[in-house]
Amino acid sequence: MIEIKNLEKNYLDEGVETRALKGVSFTIRRGEFVSIMGPSGSGKSTLLHVLSFLDLPTGGLYTFNGREAGTLTDNNLARIRNKEMGFIFQSFNLLSNASVYENVELPLLYSDMEVGKRAESIRKAIASVGLAEKTTVEAGKLSGGQKQRVAIARALVNNPDIIFADEPTGNLDSVSGAQVMEILEKLNQAGHTIVLVTHETYTARYGKRLIRLKDGEIEVDEEIRERRMHQLLK
């Protein structure tokens, strides 16, 4: 699904260049659950932004579902983000005064999906995260854990090829965080590809593969096995 070769990302700030990614290379297969970790400044958020087309690389090649990112127009990129990618953010990014239903509907507003099928998809996504009874409730009245579950439903409503989760438990208590991660684990078991960026060890454990970055380079890229988990995640 994803192939990157010698990926680089540089930022220029007041004449000073920062190399956020330094020739990173790896592939992600369909159906994987990949945890990306690293200390602050390691490049993990930059990598997620590039992988999700929220930013473009400075150098190297990025191929998503057989299409090279550098050849795509802005309209192509926007369509892929909307149709083939789902996003879950630490800060939820919900409309507080809108209902759960309306928030989950957002990715479908520019869809040509017929009204009846759209409503079915929205209700199915909401039910999949255990919030069927909250469909008409305003998002601002939900707990943090419930808000993140709404965000997951919104990410699912288009049945995307891949879900990018950026610190999805960062604003949650441990119980709510575990509930969110269990939902992501079940989605992966159902066939969804998950790419998770996290600094939390207990969250990373839900992945089946760990990519750890340090100073813009890959320090570890290995499947997570029980006997190696402590060493990989320490």
Side-chain angles (χ1 to χ4, degrees):
M1 179 179 288
I2 284 176
E3 182 178 11
I4 62 174
K5 294 181 179 179
N6 300 316
L7 197 74
E8 298 182 357
K9 180 63 183 180
N10 302 332
Y11 294 102
L12 194 64
D13 183 17
E14 297 183 355
V16 178
E17 186 177 65
T18 301
R19 297 182 65 200
L21 296 173
K22 305 172 184 177
V24 174
S25 300
F26 60 82
T27 61
I28 295 177
R29 299 181 300 275
R30 191 174 300 276
E32 282 199 275
F33 190 149
V34 181
S35 297
I36 299 175
M37 295 189 75
S40 178
S42 63
K44 61 183 186 297
S45 292
T46 298
L47 177 59
L48 185 72
H49 290 163
V50 171
L51 293 180
S52 58
F53 291 152
L54 296 174
D55 204 351
L56 293 175
T58 306
L61 294 176
Y62 172 27
T63 304
F64 178 78
N65 276 342
R67 292 158 294 185
E68 205 281 295
T71 67
L72 300 173
T73 66
D74 288 345
N75 285 339
N76 293 150
L77 295 172
R79 184 187 180 282
I80 291 171
R81 284 195 300 266
N82 181 255
K83 301 287 187 181
E84 301 177 42
M85 298 177 173
F87 300 90
I88 305 168
F89 302 98
Q90 178 177 346
S91 55
F92 317 131
N93 289 358
L94 301 179
L95 301 177
S96 295
N97 295 326
S99 69
V100 168
Y101 185 98
E102 290 166 334
N103 271 283
V104 175
E105 184 182 25
L106 288 173
L108 300 178
L109 290 180
Y110 299 100
S111 170
D112 55 4
M113 187 183 297
E114 62 183 47
V115 175
K117 189 174 181 180
R118 178 186 299 185
E120 180 184 353
S121 296
I122 294 167
R123 295 187 185 282
K124 182 178 178 181
I126 294 171
S128 73
V129 297
L131 291 177
E133 76 285 358
K134 301 289 186 180
T135 300
T136 60
V137 176
E138 290 183 359
K141 296 179 180 178
L142 301 175
S143 68
Q146 290 171 333
K147 288 177 181 177
Q148 196 59 291
R149 285 152 65 186
V150 174
I152 294 173
R154 181 183 59 194
L156 282 174
V157 73
N158 262 336
N159 193 29
D161 290 335
I162 190 167
I163 295 173
F164 294 104
D166 188 3
E167 301 280 6
T169 62
N171 285 335
L172 305 178
D173 60 66
S174 59
V175 173
S176 297
Q179 291 172 343
V180 164
M181 291 310 303
E182 286 167 6
I183 291 172
L184 291 179
E185 185 177 45
K186 288 178 181 178
L187 292 175
N188 177 246
Q189 291 170 350
H192 289 276
T193 306
I194 311 286
V195 176
L196 165 75
V197 163
T198 182
H199 68 278
E200 298 166 327
T201 299
Y202 89 91
T203 302
R205 291 175 189 270
Y206 285 86
K208 298 176 182 176
R209 175 180 168 198
L210 173 70
I211 295 176
R212 189 164 63 206
L213 297 178
K214 183 178 181 180
D215 298 329
E217 299 178 303
I218 293 178
E219 184 180 42
V220 170
D221 182 355
E222 190 170 332
E223 290 186 7
I224 299 178
R225 300 182 179 90
E226 287 298 325
R227 66 179 181 273
R228 284 276 290 144
M229 188 178 291
H230 177 70
Q231 295 136 295
L232 289 173
L233 299 178
K234 66 181 180 180

